[in-house]
Amino acid sequence: MDQIPTNKIIVLYDGDCGLCNRAIQILLKEDPADQFRFVSQQADLGKSILTHIGYNPNTLDSLVVYHPNVAYYTQSQAVFYLCKFGSNRLKLGLVFRLFPKAILDGVYNWIAENRYRWFGKNEHCLFPNKTYRDKFLT
């Protein structure tokens, strides 16, 4: 756990999920303050972080956003947390917080249940180019 930067927001994502990998590509470009770091939930470090925060590392049903020494977030709340700290374009997504959490999480879960069917399952984890390599934790 020593390799986890405590001053960054850690995004734990399903490395096999096509939708998740596309979302990471967007987040890489929409992080002007360089606050996000990424790790696959299937990676050893990802599993260690999930265990550390008390989240089942065998459950790949949600994006998990961990802000060390602050809190962790799942489902729609994880998405909104990223919008809050991302670019102004991402901040526009915060308008959806007007909807009740139960509805937002219901939509999130429906998309999560169908993500492999709709967006495919990757054979290999995302491999970042030189520009973004330091943003991925190993």
Side-chain angles (χ1 to χ4, degrees):
M1 297 296 290
D2 292 336
Q3 66 257 53
I4 299 175
T6 57
N7 62 338
K8 302 292 181 186
I9 298 168
I10 313 299
V11 180
L12 296 115
Y13 65 97
D14 178 354
D16 294 334
C17 169
L19 173 62
C20 304
N21 279 291
R22 289 182 188 125
I24 298 305
Q25 294 293 332
I26 292 168
L27 288 171
L28 286 167
K29 296 172 185 162
E30 300 295 332
D31 182 21
D34 190 34
Q35 296 187 84
F36 303 147
R37 293 298 177 267
F38 304 92
V39 62
S40 166
Q41 292 179 7
Q42 291 93 333
D44 290 340
L45 179 59
K47 290 178 184 178
S48 294
I49 294 169
L50 292 170
T51 300
H52 173 74
I53 63 176
Y55 195 83
N56 182 350
N58 298 315
T59 304
L60 296 173
D61 63 351
S62 179
L63 171 73
V64 178
V65 174
Y66 174 50
H67 198 161
N69 303 316
V70 177
Y72 77 91
Y73 306 90
T74 61
Q75 298 175 310
S76 64
Q77 299 310 300
V79 173
F80 290 133
Y81 200 74
L82 294 172
C83 289
K84 178 180 171 182
F85 287 96
S87 68
N88 287 335
R89 196 174 0 201
L90 283 183
K91 284 179 177 49
L92 292 173
L94 294 172
V95 72
F96 291 102
R97 291 177 79 181
L98 297 171
F99 293 97
K101 183 180 182 304
I103 291 174
L104 294 168
D105 285 345
V107 170
Y108 184 98
N109 290 335
W110 177 66
I111 293 169
E113 289 170 8
N114 292 289
R115 69 189 187 273
Y116 293 140
R117 186 173 342 132
W118 295 341
F119 299 96
K121 194 168 184 178
N122 295 335
E123 296 295 322
H124 307 286
C125 284
L126 180 68
F127 188 76
N129 63 30
K130 284 190 282 186
T131 305
Y132 300 119
R133 195 167 292 145
D134 291 342
K135 294 175 87 56
F136 287 82
L137 306 176
T138 56

